[in-house]
Amino acid sequence: MAGKLIKAPRGTQDILETESYQWQFVERMALETAGLFGFSEMRTPVFEQMDLFKRSVGDTTDVVQKEMYEVRAEKGKDLYGLKPEGTAGAVRSAIEHNLLKGALPLKVCYITPCFRHERPQAGRLREFHQFGVEMFGAQSPSADVEVICVARELFQMLGLKDITLNINSIGCPTCRAEYHKALTEYFRQYSDQLCGTCLERLDKNPMRILDCKSPVCSELAKNAPVVLDYLCDDCKTHFEGVKTRLEAIGIPYQVDPTIVRGLDYYTKTVFEFISNNLGAQSTVCGGGRYDGLVEQMGGDPAPGLGFAVGLERLLLIMQAQGIEIPKPESCELFIASMGEAANIRACKLVNELRSEGFYAECDLMGRSVKAQMKYANKIGAKYTMVLGDSELESGTAKLKDMESGEEREINFQQELAQTLYDITIQRATENLADDFGGEALASMMEMK
Ligand code: HAM
């Protein structure tokens, strides 16, 4: 009896073998861009102690209260959570391995799956992927701007258009006290309309009401006092420093006083990059400062800041904007064979070619030559060669260019790798000529 089909969990996506090259490209660009700014990759576990997220992301946030995936080993007592974001693990790891006692600022980056039990929709998944950077130890507004520049540089490298940067400051615990008072007073007037969760938040953490997704709470939040009006002098000066530097570098931005971010650890600068290619889920990147988090998590006091880009959203924008991602090279040579002896020889030849760095294939299915050629066509082989008894005897075979149909006779034992190498060089030169124009290339050659 055929088994019942088990489908992937709702809100998850398979990245198929036909599309993984797009992910590899974007991830490579992300790590390379981060590298230009001195950020090195760090990898932390997909699950962590539940308390790590409660204490960092915050136990009154939607992410922790409503969206966590809890994990418990069948026989264990400990409660773990699948990471809903990358900052908590990075901070934990930096403290645990004494990284903050080394050269500062410490700059790390990561690419990680994240899990949030949200209602799935376009650009909002339950398993998604973040590329993020975190910097520790730097107080200066220059650090805020450097972090913003990493994201901006990545978007530019990928050719993204119309991405807007919105910034805000949500102050420090000093100015936050006054602000919380004002918020509590404001929302208390509407306590009969707030959702149950926000009613609880009213005394514990009124700022969280500002990013509640319930329609009534978000409507009420529109007229709530804004945090910018409550900044202390230190936070005001810092925010001015960020703006001045953004202007000096020529990075356009807008101040959006309604950005509060959905995670508890932020202080001072917060920012988001927005795209109008994403519909309702318009934020492709979110980040900011978290100057109290390291100490709160048991480390010596150290400022911190960072951002995370949602990779699914990034790819959606690229798709919407028609940005082409270079496809991987297709098979250079398919060696078809007729009969056992020829198949053995084909097997040997493709292995030799692979050691030389060429992508080559031979028949693994026991197909007829006609069917082998059909397969070679399907996988987009650039060249084919057929080996049979007569070719084995003469040591020569016809190398066929599948695009032009041209054939050339070669000694396959002695000339194959060299011929493929010559073809590759010729193709690369022609591509260069296409890219730069024949004249430019000729003058480059002359200069050489
Ligand atoms: P976040 O704003 O919660 O920040 O998430 C960052 C980005 O992850 C979002 O802008 C979005 O692109 C993507 N994202 C979030 N949730 C989903 C989802 N359900 N489906 C698809 N994409 C999603 C953070 O996570 C912070 N840790 C960023 C940070 C790092 N702040 C400082 N350092």
Side-chain angles (χ1 to χ4, degrees):
M1 196 178 70
K4 191 169 176 269
L5 184 70
I6 297 175
K7 293 201 169 162
R10 201 161 110 80
T12 67
Q13 270 178 1
D14 293 319
I15 299 166
L16 299 179
E17 88 291 3
T18 44
E19 52 198 23
S20 56
Y21 73 94
Q22 300 174 354
W23 284 78
Q24 289 166 358
F25 178 78
V26 166
E27 289 176 1
R28 198 170 54 242
M29 294 291 271
L31 294 178
E32 271 176 23
T33 307
L36 295 177
F37 291 77
F39 289 80
S40 309
E41 192 194 4
M42 144 186 276
R43 300 184 190 192
T44 63
V46 161
F47 65 99
E48 298 265 6
Q49 303 271 358
M50 195 61 182
D51 277 347
L52 178 78
F53 302 118
K54 286 192 179 162
R55 278 173 50 197
S56 55
V57 171
D59 54 9
T60 51
T61 57
D62 269 7
V63 170
V64 166
Q65 281 191 311
K66 302 180 181 169
E67 298 165 5
M68 284 300 297
Y69 280 89
E70 296 183 352
V71 187
R72 207 188 289 273
E74 203 168 357
K75 293 203 174 117
K77 286 195 296 292
D78 293 332
L79 180 62
Y80 298 99
L82 294 185
K83 54 160 87 158
E85 53 100 58
T87 309
V91 170
R92 191 235 354 106
S93 176
I95 300 171
E96 192 170 331
H97 299 284
N98 289 322
L99 305 184
L100 298 166
K101 298 204 161 71
L104 294 180
L106 170 69
K107 297 178 180 182
V108 299
C109 64
Y110 51 82
I111 292 172
T112 183
C114 296
F115 305 87
R116 295 185 192 177
H117 193 267
E118 296 190 81
R119 201 165 43 77
Q121 62 180 82
R124 190 163 75 192
L125 291 128
R126 291 181 172 172
E127 183 192 32
F128 59 98
H129 297 80
Q130 286 187 344
F131 157 66
V133 310
E134 312 293 348
M135 189 195 291
F136 300 94
Q139 281 289 6
S140 158
S142 294
D144 305 46
V145 172
E146 178 160 311
V147 159
I148 288 171
C149 284
V150 179
R152 195 179 123 94
E153 184 65 25
L154 173 63
F155 300 148
Q156 282 189 336
M157 294 260 241
L158 293 172
L160 264 58
K161 292 175 286 291
D162 304 328
I163 306 282
T164 325
L165 168 64
N166 292 344
I167 63 170
N168 191 22
S169 174
I170 57 169
C172 63
T174 314
C175 31
R176 203 81 68 72
E178 275 301 299
Y179 180 54
H180 275 187
K181 227 162 53 195
L183 268 186
T184 313
E185 263 169 37
Y186 170 78
F187 280 117
R188 202 175 293 289
Q189 309 170 68
Y190 306 103
S191 53
D192 53 333
Q193 296 176 42
L194 292 175
C195 74
T197 321
C198 285
L199 208 51
E200 270 177 38
R201 289 165 168 165
L202 195 53
D203 292 312
K204 281 195 201 152
N205 192 354
M207 256 174 89
R208 289 282 65 95
I209 304 175
L210 297 174
D211 54 61
C212 178
K213 290 179 191 110
S214 108
V216 178
C217 299
S218 49
E219 196 52 41
L220 291 173
K222 283 185 185 155
N223 295 320
V226 293
V227 64
L228 272 184
D229 296 337
Y230 293 81
L231 294 188
C232 66
D233 286 346
D234 179 38
C235 289
K236 258 189 214 152
T237 311
H238 187 89
F239 196 44
E240 286 309 313
V242 173
K243 291 193 285 185
T244 311
R245 283 163 178 78
L246 288 174
E247 281 151 28
I249 303 178
I251 298 180
Y253 67 88
Q254 277 165 6
V255 174
D256 177 353
T258 66
I259 300 179
V260 287
R261 313 277 300 125
L263 314 161
D264 266 354
Y265 45 65
Y266 290 111
T267 53
K268 293 187 176 166
T269 319
V270 287
F271 62 89
E272 291 179 347
F273 282 92
I274 306 290
S275 160
N276 53 17
N277 290 113
L278 286 173
Q281 304 306 315
S282 58
T283 313
V284 62
C285 169
R289 248 185 198 279
Y290 44 82
D291 286 348
L293 183 59
V294 173
E295 186 179 12
Q296 198 180 310
M297 301 312 290
D300 292 338
L305 66 162
F307 69 75
V309 171
L311 293 182
E312 283 80 3
R313 292 188 191 174
L314 187 63
L315 281 159
L316 279 176
I317 301 174
M318 291 177 74
Q319 215 170 34
Q321 297 189 355
I323 298 171
E324 290 223 6
I325 295 179
K327 287 210 166 69
E329 285 290 314
S330 57
C331 179
E332 195 69 30
L333 173 65
F334 183 88
I335 306 185
S337 53
M338 232 181 318
E340 177 75 354
N343 186 254
I344 293 171
R345 193 57 174 272
C347 201
K348 181 168 180 274
L349 280 172
V350 291
N351 272 303
E352 285 165 6
L353 287 175
R354 290 164 187 161
S355 310
E356 300 275 347
F358 293 107
Y359 167 18
E361 293 212 43
C362 65
D363 178 48
L364 306 176
M365 305 287 290
R367 288 183 171 126
S368 68
V369 169
K370 194 170 160 209
Q372 289 179 49
M373 295 307 277
K374 214 165 149 190
Y375 174 74
N377 244 326
K378 237 185 213 166
I379 62 169
K382 292 180 194 137
Y383 284 82
T384 56
M385 195 169 84
V386 184
L387 294 185
D389 289 342
S390 61
E391 282 80 10
L392 291 190
E393 209 169 292
S394 67
T396 60
K398 288 199 177 94
L399 186 69
K400 182 173 178 185
D401 180 334
M402 294 295 277
E403 201 180 290
S404 66
E406 264 171 47
E407 290 185 331
R408 67 177 100 175
E409 183 97 2
I410 60 161
N411 178 322
F412 56 81
Q413 201 51 62
Q414 286 163 15
E415 297 171 346
L416 193 49
Q418 185 60 46
T419 310
L420 290 181
Y421 180 72
D422 292 345
I423 288 168
T424 313
I425 296 285
Q426 192 187 343
R427 199 182 305 132
T429 318
E430 281 165 10
N431 286 347
L432 263 183
D434 284 351
D435 287 352
F436 292 107
E439 275 172 38
L441 188 72
S443 64
M444 267 162 66
M445 299 296 243
E446 251 167 51
M447 271 164 64
K448 270 185 104 185

